[in-house]
């Protein structure tokens, strides 16, 4: 079994190469915009788009054959994604271009990439770290994406195929409950508090608001300095959240690997749309919209594939309201949970994680359906009676 990983490698192009890269990115974006305008919006097949505008892209924008094909494929893929979201494709920015094996090559002997630009083939040096060196050593990648990031630097996103181990035969399930108070709580009792990331988000929000005000009403030098600081701070909060999610997902997968378990998570969808309809103040709306639970789920899934650990998603309905001991609906108040049937009480997120674990066992382990059933007793009349009655 193979897994496709994307390595982000920084490029160190010469000044004349920068001009060629900029020209190529602009031509690729213009070609995508032209194809998107000329072809009917309902057409998403890259082959159909290519048959209609391929010759125009070659002659009007000077693209090579494979870059023109990649532009048509980009338009088709973006249209399919937009169709799923119910939105049209509006505009392509000159920030990236797709490459395949005929117009891209990785050279391990001098750690450069060979790229077909608009009118020339260039060898561009890479400035990469030990992680990328280890992953690329001995590999022959066949696809990549040339990108210009917000800081103005150029990167090559290289897709490599990595062999993954056979999935483990699980004997246990670790349930993971996502939340606003605790980023993640596992059925084993591990938890990651949200206070650290909340404090950092609030501090960055306050700093951005102050700098944006100075960038509008300050003196000329103050406005220039404020814009420079805003650019320097751009992405720091996002990178910290990404690092934190990497750490959490890494430790959960390692724990599952050590205990021969699979990981069960909630299948959370549409939370942002539902919560934004509720009346809340500006601070709570910002905190809720910056909750990166989908990124954490994505990290868990791809790290699980890499280590041979299954990650399954279970329905989230009533997981935080059901007692994991007797499967009765209990009372939840903030972070506390109390069951009126068996009198169990404790942390509500821990109870939710244990319920998610039970749901995961019921669908993934042999005989797991016994985890979600309650025994029935026979009363004096000979009729079956639930212990809750």
């Amino acid at each position: 079994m193979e897994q496709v990983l994307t390595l982000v490698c920084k490029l160190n192009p010469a000044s004349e190469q920068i001009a060629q890269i900029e020209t190529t990115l602009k031509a690729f974006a213009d070609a995508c915009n032209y194809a998107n305008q000329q072809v009917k919006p309902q057409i998403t097949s890259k082959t159909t788009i290519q048959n209609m505008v391929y010759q125009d892209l070659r002659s009007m924008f000077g693209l090579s054959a494979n870059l023109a094909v990649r532009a048509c494929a980009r338009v088709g893929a973006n249209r399919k994604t937009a169709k799923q979201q119910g939105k049209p494709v509006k505009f392509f920015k000159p920030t990236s271009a797709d490459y395949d094996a005929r117009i891209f090559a990785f050279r391990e002997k001098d750690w450069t990439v060979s790229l077909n630009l608009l009118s020339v083939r260039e060898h561009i040096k890479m400035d990469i770290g030990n992680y990328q060196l280890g992953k690329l050593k001995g590999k022959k990648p066949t696809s990549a994406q040339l990108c210009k990031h917000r800081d103005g630097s150029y990167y090559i996103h290289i897709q490599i195929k990595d062999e993954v181990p056979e999935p483990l035969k699980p004997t246990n399930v670790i349930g993971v409950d996502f939340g606003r108070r605790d980023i993640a709580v596992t059925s084993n009792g591990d938890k990651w508090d949200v206070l650290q990331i909340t404090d950092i988000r609030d501090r960055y929000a306050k700093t951005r608001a102050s700098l944006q005000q100075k960038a509008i009403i300050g003196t000329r030098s103050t406005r220039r300095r404020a814009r420079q600081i805003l650019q320097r701070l751009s992405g720091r909060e996002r990178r910290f959240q990404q690092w934190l999610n990497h750490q959490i997902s890494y430790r959960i997968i390692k724990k599952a690997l050590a205990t021969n378990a699979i990981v069960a998570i909630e299948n959370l969808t549409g939370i942002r749309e539902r919560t934004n309809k509720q009346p809340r103040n500006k601070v709570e709306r910002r905190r809720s919209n910056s909750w990166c639970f989908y990124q954490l789920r994505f990290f868990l899934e791809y790290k699980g594939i890499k280590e041979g650990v299954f990650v399954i998603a279970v329905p989230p309905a009533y997981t935080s309201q059901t007692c994991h001991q007797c499967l009765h609906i209990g009372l939840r108040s903030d972070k506390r949970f109390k069951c009126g049937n068996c009198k169990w009480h404790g942390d509500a997120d821990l109870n939710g994680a244990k319920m998610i674990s039970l749901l995961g066992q019921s669908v993934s382990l042999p005989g797991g359906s016994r985890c979600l059933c309650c025994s029935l007793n026979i009363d004096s009349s000979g009729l079956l009676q639930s212990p809750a009655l």
Side-chain angles (χ1 to χ4, degrees), residues 203-326:
R203 190 179 75 231
Y204 273 114
K206 186 177 180 180
T207 303
R208 281 197 302 268
S210 176
L211 289 171
Q212 287 167 353
Q213 186 177 13
K214 292 179 181 179
I216 296 174
I217 63 175
T219 63
R220 183 176 181 180
S221 59
T222 301
R223 295 198 304 269
R224 182 177 65 253
R225 182 60 177 164
R227 288 193 295 267
Q228 292 173 351
I229 298 175
L230 280 171
Q231 186 176 7
R232 190 172 73 240
L233 294 179
S234 175
R236 284 193 181 182
E237 178 185 344
R238 174 183 54 80
R239 289 192 296 271
F240 178 78
Q241 175 70 77
Q242 188 178 31
W243 171 84
L244 187 61
N245 283 338
H246 270 301
Q247 295 297 315
I248 295 172
S249 58
Y250 173 80
R251 295 183 184 183
I252 292 175
I253 293 299
K254 285 299 182 183
K255 186 73 172 182
L257 190 63
T259 57
N260 198 32
I262 67 175
V263 177
I265 61 177
E266 295 173 288
N267 187 22
L268 300 175
T269 56
I271 291 180
R272 186 167 297 168
E273 290 76 9
R274 292 196 302 270
T275 55
N276 282 338
K277 295 178 181 178
Q278 302 173 1
R280 294 174 301 160
N281 58 42
K282 184 178 179 180
V283 175
E284 280 302 312
R285 188 179 297 109
R286 174 180 55 78
R287 288 176 178 176
S288 177
N289 289 340
S290 60
W291 183 27
C292 297
F293 67 90
Y294 182 79
Q295 186 185 73
L296 179 56
R297 171 178 174 171
F298 174 74
F299 288 170
L300 281 169
E301 289 175 344
Y302 97 81
K303 283 182 170 63
I305 294 174
K306 183 179 178 181
E307 299 292 342
V309 175
F310 276 118
V311 178
I312 62 172
V314 301
Y318 297 100
T319 53
S320 62
Q321 303 175 39
T322 307
C323 176
H324 72 278
Q325 292 279 19
C326 64

Side-chain angles (χ1 to χ4, degrees), residues 7-260:
L7 295 177
V8 180
C9 304
K10 188 174 183 179
L11 297 177
N12 189 17
S15 56
E16 59 273 10
Q17 291 175 335
I18 291 177
Q20 289 286 343
I21 292 174
E22 286 288 345
T23 306
T24 304
L25 293 178
K26 187 178 185 308
F28 189 86
D30 291 342
C32 291
N33 287 319
Y34 177 82
N36 189 45
Q37 293 169 2
Q38 296 298 316
V39 181
K40 294 181 179 180
Q42 61 268 26
I43 297 177
T44 60
S45 170
K46 63 179 182 181
T47 304
T48 305
I49 297 173
Q50 180 179 330
N51 291 337
M52 297 176 68
V53 298
Y54 172 78
Q55 295 297 338
D56 293 339
L57 300 186
R58 292 292 309 276
S59 60
M60 294 176 61
F61 305 102
L63 296 180
S64 64
N66 286 75
L67 277 176
V69 171
R70 291 294 94 208
C72 297
R74 168 77 70 88
V75 174
N78 283 25
R79 284 185 170 186
K80 289 180 181 178
T81 303
K83 187 176 181 180
Q84 292 175 353
Q85 299 175 352
K87 300 178 181 179
V89 178
K90 294 183 179 180
F91 186 73
F92 291 87
K93 296 181 180 180
T95 55
S96 64
D98 299 333
Y99 281 79
D100 58 22
R102 296 188 178 184
I103 51 179
F104 154 79
F106 164 67
R107 294 159 52 97
E108 186 179 342
K109 61 181 180 181
D110 54 359
W111 295 101
T112 62
V113 289
S114 176
L115 299 175
N116 261 24
L117 299 180
L118 202 59
S119 58
V120 66
R121 182 94 173 192
E122 290 284 353
H123 297 282
I124 306 175
K125 291 185 176 296
M126 296 192 299
D127 184 12
I128 55 179
N130 292 330
Y131 175 77
Q132 288 90 343
L133 290 173
K135 286 292 184 181
L136 286 172
K137 195 169 185 179
K139 299 287 185 179
K140 292 184 178 179
T142 57
S143 60
Q145 191 177 62
L146 176 63
C147 299
K148 181 181 180 181
H149 287 196
R150 290 184 177 181
D151 60 356
S153 301
Y154 299 97
Y155 291 80
I156 187 77
H157 295 195
I158 303 176
Q159 287 83 43
I160 62 171
K161 294 180 180 180
D162 215 0
E163 290 289 337
V164 297
E166 290 294 326
L168 301 174
K169 294 183 178 180
T171 59
N172 188 23
V173 176
I174 296 177
V176 183
D177 181 76
F178 299 147
R180 284 278 309 277
R181 295 289 185 88
D182 293 319
I183 301 176
V185 179
T186 70
S187 55
N188 294 336
D190 299 326
K191 64 172 59 179
W192 288 268
D193 198 284
V194 80
L195 290 179
Q196 182 184 14
I197 185 62
T198 299
D199 291 343
I200 289 178
R201 282 174 179 161
D202 291 345
R203 190 179 75 231
Y204 273 114
K206 186 177 180 180
T207 303
R208 281 197 302 268
S210 176
L211 289 171
Q212 287 167 353
Q213 186 177 13
K214 292 179 181 179
I216 296 174
I217 63 175
T219 63
R220 183 176 181 180
S221 59
T222 301
R223 295 198 304 269
R224 182 177 65 253
R225 182 60 177 164
R227 288 193 295 267
Q228 292 173 351
I229 298 175
L230 280 171
Q231 186 176 7
R232 190 172 73 240
L233 294 179
S234 175
R236 284 193 181 182
E237 178 185 344
R238 174 183 54 80
R239 289 192 296 271
F240 178 78
Q241 175 70 77
Q242 188 178 31
W243 171 84
L244 187 61
N245 283 338
H246 270 301
Q247 295 297 315
I248 295 172
S249 58
Y250 173 80
R251 295 183 184 183
I252 292 175
I253 293 299
K254 285 299 182 183
K255 186 73 172 182
L257 190 63
T259 57
N260 198 32

